[in-house]
Amino acid sequence: MKILVADDESTPALFLRRTLERLGHEVVVASNGLEAWERLQADAFRLVITDWMMPGLDGLDLCRRIRGRGDSSYIYIILLTAREGLQDRLAGLTAGADDFLSKPMDPAELAARVGIAGRIVAMQEELERKNVQLAELATTDGLTGLKNRRCFDEALTTACSFAVRCGYPLSLMMFDVDHFKTLNDSFGHPAGDSVLATLAEILRSETRDHDVVARYGGEEFTVLLPATVAEEASQLADRLRMTVRNHPWSQRAVTVSAGVATTGADLATGPALLEAADRALYHSKRSGRDRVTHHDSFQGEIASSHARDPMAL
């Protein structure tokens, strides 16, 4: 474990360093509270052992600063003190200390208290890992590993606001697997899932790192393309369509239809951009499938997604 020791007295600091290093820990020593605070900004420590009385920034103030950082990674704090009174202990706990170590220090007690700190830190790290996993599950589609609809909706709102504010174009592609229902009926849902997973990998591998690729729902996928004009987005959508068409599918040939929309005077919000791409996708479906339509390229009123004929998809 990486431990930060803060003590303005050289002899106790040397004792701590040598004892902790013999226990197998990596130790960094700061000669006062301010230096300890600076080291905490520059490096990651999970355990801080600090003296109470130090010039400039004492141990209580250092505890308060650590607790006020709001970091996701918890730092365990042991406060060194010769004070034994209840009020002193309460003051230390209120400031944010987790444990106390009496001065002069006993090596066996030091080892025991650091061992307790290590167990608590290990449990905290496991909790942090689980929280990260839960956060990923909340924003990730389980089948494809892409962003899910919830995450996409949030990204769309943010990207549209940024594009309008900064005057950058933002394009949105929507893809739908052609005749997906018949594929499932003919070869089973595992085969359909395999197609969706492969399509997700194609979209992910053929787009940029900062593009947002998501499974929108069922057999529909979306791709947000920041700083991408209509022509570039249409060309990319068609290249992806051809990649899907030419892929060596195991059961039968698979094709996709696509709709593309780009921000403009009439498309300045996420819902408007999404509806435009959806209409363009519907136009591709009604025009024969396996094709790309940009919202700006066709005329006439197209039925909204709420009025779709499910058998046409």
Side-chain angles (χ1 to χ4, degrees):
M1 183 164 48
K2 193 168 186 177
I3 303 174
L4 175 63
V5 171
D7 198 325
D8 62 318
E9 296 181 13
S10 59
T11 300
L14 182 60
F15 168 80
L16 280 167
R17 164 172 255 165
R18 289 178 174 175
T19 304
L20 292 170
E21 287 178 343
R22 281 197 297 269
L23 292 171
H25 301 289
E26 179 184 353
V27 183
V28 175
V29 176
S31 60
N32 55 65
L34 287 174
E35 182 185 347
W37 177 245
E38 291 173 357
R39 288 185 178 274
L40 283 165
Q41 311 314 302
D43 207 345
F45 298 91
R46 299 309 299 263
L47 171 59
V48 172
I49 302 177
T50 178
D51 192 15
W52 184 311
M53 302 300 295
M54 292 184 294
L57 186 71
D58 66 19
L60 292 189
D61 286 335
L62 179 60
C63 288
R64 294 188 187 101
R65 287 197 182 188
I66 292 173
R67 295 298 176 236
R69 293 201 318 176
D71 290 4
S72 58
S73 296
Y74 190 80
I75 298 176
Y76 194 93
I77 304 173
I78 298 177
L79 195 59
L80 300 174
T81 179
R83 305 183 181 194
E84 298 291 343
L86 176 60
Q87 292 304 315
D88 291 324
R89 294 292 178 117
L90 290 176
L93 292 171
T94 301
D98 294 287
D99 199 359
F100 299 89
L101 193 59
S102 298
K103 299 176 75 173
M105 289 166 284
D106 177 76
E109 184 183 7
L110 173 62
R113 295 195 180 278
V114 170
I116 293 170
R119 290 194 294 273
I120 292 176
V121 166
M123 288 189 291
Q124 182 66 28
E125 289 175 341
E126 179 63 22
L127 178 60
E128 290 168 7
R129 283 193 293 270
K130 290 186 180 298
N131 286 338
V132 169
Q133 291 172 355
L134 288 173
E136 290 176 351
L137 289 173
T139 60
T140 303
D141 175 62
L143 173 64
T144 64
L146 299 179
K147 301 299 184 182
N148 61 18
R149 181 168 179 172
R150 172 186 171 185
C151 183
F152 167 79
D153 287 340
E154 293 175 355
L156 176 62
T157 299
T158 301
C160 270
S161 298
F162 183 81
V164 171
R165 185 169 65 251
C166 298
Y168 294 145
L170 172 69
S171 291
L172 169 61
M173 302 187 296
M174 294 190 73
F175 293 90
D176 186 280
V177 181
D178 296 326
H179 301 295
F180 186 71
K181 184 178 184 302
T182 62
L183 188 150
N184 272 335
D185 292 343
S186 299
F187 302 100
H189 287 281
D193 289 348
S194 177
V195 167
L196 296 178
T198 301
L199 176 56
E201 183 55 36
I202 290 173
L203 295 177
R204 181 165 37 213
S205 63
E206 296 294 328
T207 51
R208 302 166 299 187
D209 290 341
H210 62 274
D211 296 331
V212 180
V213 186
R215 184 183 180 192
Y216 192 69
E219 65 272 22
E220 284 191 334
F221 295 81
T222 52
V223 184
L224 269 177
L225 304 169
T228 305
V229 298
E231 183 179 0
E232 293 172 341
S234 294
Q235 291 173 352
L236 175 58
D238 199 56
R239 187 166 72 247
L240 290 167
R241 179 189 67 83
M242 290 299 298
T243 300
V244 173
R245 184 179 185 181
N246 295 330
H247 185 80
W249 302 99
S250 56
Q251 278 82 20
R252 73 174 195 193
V254 175
T255 62
V256 294
S257 298
V260 185
T262 304
T263 50
D266 298 328
L267 299 178
T269 67
L273 189 66
L274 184 63
E275 178 67 13
D278 190 55
R279 288 173 179 265
L281 171 59
Y282 186 67
H283 186 270
S284 291
K285 290 290 203 180
R286 292 295 297 266
S287 300
R289 299 182 177 86
D290 189 22
R291 64 191 61 207
V292 174
T293 302
H294 194 284
H295 182 261
D296 296 342
S297 67
F298 66 93
Q299 303 296 323
E301 184 66 23
I302 302 174
S304 70
S305 58
H306 298 293
R308 283 185 177 182
D309 175 9
M311 297 305 295
L313 302 181

